Amino acid sequence: MTRTTPPRPVHVEGLFPKLGAFRGVTTRLHPRPGRPDASVSSVGGPLLWPADEPWPVCTEPHKRSSGYRVADIRRGRQVLADAWARDRPSDEERDLLKDLGRRHRERAIADAVPIPLIGLVQLYRRDVPGLPPGPDGCDLLQVLWCPFEAHGPSRHGLAPHVRWRRSDQVAVPLDAPPQPALVGFEGAVAEPCVLHPEQVVTYPYAGSLPPRLWGRIDAWEDAEERKAEKRGLDDELVTYHHDLSIPQGCRVGGFPSWHTTDPYPMNCEACAAPMLLLLTVDSHEWDGANGSWMPTEEWDVAEHLRDSRPTQLTIGRDGLLNIFACPTEPGHPHRWSLQ
């Protein structure tokens, strides 16, 4: 089934013609729960991995002896989905969900014991318009991460791992990757999702535009806010950031959002070239009072069955992960930002 982004509530280039010079394209992935296998693109699905290639692990010292069991997380989600399909959970289901949501301790797991990474995203170029080629003709992008937010100087950072490969060179695929005994938070485990790629128009984050252009947009937003307050409809306010520029949800290419931090240069650490956005993994596919990025196919779904978090991922504080690639040499190390 396709997913279609509805037309924007305002024709932004009609209001600000100079935005046309900055127009770009991004591919919304529209992940939705399904049963992907390793031969297709997915979020949270199995990765096409050679049986003779070591599975990546996290060796950075951090607490990993307390957390949640992956099997409990998946079962809890299924119980909850079945319950909401009937409108609400039963008392027995509530008790089961409470039990499945308990934290566990594995005291034998030391802080430096290697922990298997978890597959996050797998994208084949044949499936995803706009996905650039990887180094040496690689056609398959794979992203994994450590299931604990315990990295870097803050000890609360993520640890994404990006791998490119040629899918035709995987002669014997790995049947079952190793799994961590525990994960640090339930949102570290992505629900297996099939993709419904759709290319849409996008514009840069406001703070990345020339100051005069952004000043005009800012003045327009202020005027619209005053009008909405007079009508008592400020919850339906259309803004450049939320409705007209960067689509919400998981996507490939386009422009990064900098809504948590000010924009800052993402230059390649190997050659200093300005890097381009490769992939965004978002906690939500849409949000906000008007949900303007909700696909039209889901407008008629009962409100209690709509799910703006189909992947069940939690990126930071319900944010998103931007992964950047070098445009001159895709084999150069990737960089990332959390927003």
Side-chain angles (χ1 to χ4, degrees):
M1 183 177 179
T2 59
R3 293 294 188 276
T4 309
T5 299
R8 296 301 78 212
V10 173
H11 178 41
V12 69
E13 284 191 37
L15 290 172
F16 310 103
K18 290 187 177 181
L19 266 178
F22 301 94
R23 184 193 315 126
V25 176
T26 188
T27 302
R28 298 188 75 187
L29 297 178
H30 294 305
R32 297 296 184 271
R35 296 183 178 178
D37 59 33
S39 69
V40 300
S41 300
S42 67
V43 171
L47 306 185
L48 180 69
W49 201 271
D52 59 353
E53 181 177 316
W55 188 262
V57 297
C58 177
T59 57
E60 183 176 340
H62 60 70
K63 291 289 184 183
R64 60 195 75 192
S65 59
S66 175
Y68 304 91
R69 295 170 179 165
V70 174
D72 289 350
I73 292 172
R74 296 201 183 282
R75 187 181 178 200
R77 290 173 180 172
Q78 187 59 59
V79 170
L80 196 58
D82 293 343
W84 281 117
R86 302 189 315 272
D87 194 34
R88 62 177 56 86
S90 65
D91 291 340
E92 293 79 6
E93 287 169 329
R94 288 191 182 93
D95 291 340
L96 177 57
L97 289 168
K98 184 177 180 180
D99 186 60
L100 292 172
R102 289 190 303 113
R103 292 185 69 90
H104 297 269
R105 290 189 65 85
E106 299 284 350
R107 298 183 185 278
I109 303 178
D111 292 353
V113 169
I115 179 173
L117 302 188
I118 289 182
L120 190 60
V121 178
Q122 170 169 279
L123 301 177
Y124 288 86
R125 289 196 69 216
R126 66 168 188 263
D127 296 337
V128 182
L131 181 65
D136 302 320
C138 288
D139 66 320
L140 179 57
L141 172 66
Q142 297 171 321
V143 181
L144 307 90
W145 67 356
C146 175
F148 287 84
E149 292 178 307
H151 308 88
S154 70
R155 311 307 296 172
H156 294 286
L158 302 178
H161 175 87
V162 180
R163 183 71 61 92
W164 281 97
R165 69 174 71 255
R166 286 185 55 176
S167 60
D168 60 358
Q169 292 185 348
V170 182
V172 181
L174 182 67
D175 283 335
Q179 276 198 346
L182 300 172
V183 301
F185 59 108
E186 296 184 21
V189 180
E191 192 67 14
C193 288
V194 296
L195 307 183
H196 307 82
E198 176 203 22
Q199 289 196 294
V200 297
V201 171
T202 183
Y203 300 93
Y205 181 72
S208 302
L209 292 170
R212 290 186 64 182
L213 178 55
W214 168 231
R216 293 186 59 202
I217 295 174
D218 192 38
W220 170 78
E221 287 187 340
D222 287 344
E224 291 297 301
E225 184 175 4
R226 290 192 294 270
K227 293 177 186 177
E229 287 176 352
K230 289 181 179 179
R231 299 194 306 267
L233 299 174
D234 38 334
D235 60 334
E236 299 179 9
L237 186 66
V238 173
T239 68
Y240 178 81
H241 172 70
H242 287 291
D243 304 286
L244 306 178
S245 56
I246 298 175
Q248 296 170 340
C250 299
R251 56 195 181 86
V252 163
F255 304 107
S257 175
W258 300 101
H259 58 276
T260 301
T261 66
D262 290 332
Y264 57 87
M266 295 295 289
N267 295 329
C268 178
E269 295 175 342
C271 69
M275 304 182 85
L276 300 179
L277 180 65
L278 175 64
L279 171 67
T280 295
V281 184
D282 203 333
S283 300
H284 293 268
E285 288 298 298
W286 70 84
D287 62 14
N290 55 9
S292 73
W293 294 107
M294 185 195 313
T296 56
E297 291 81 2
E298 287 162 316
W299 286 353
D300 294 331
V301 176
E303 186 171 355
H304 74 283
L305 293 178
R306 290 178 187 165
D307 189 359
S308 68
R309 296 183 61 244
T311 67
Q312 299 294 306
L313 288 167
T314 303
I315 313 293
R317 297 183 178 180
D318 268 352
L320 54 85
L321 172 68
N322 288 322
I323 297 177
F324 297 83
C326 178
T328 59
E329 176 46 66
H332 285 171
H334 296 79
R335 295 185 64 185
W336 59 274
S337 73
L338 185 64
Q339 296 294 313

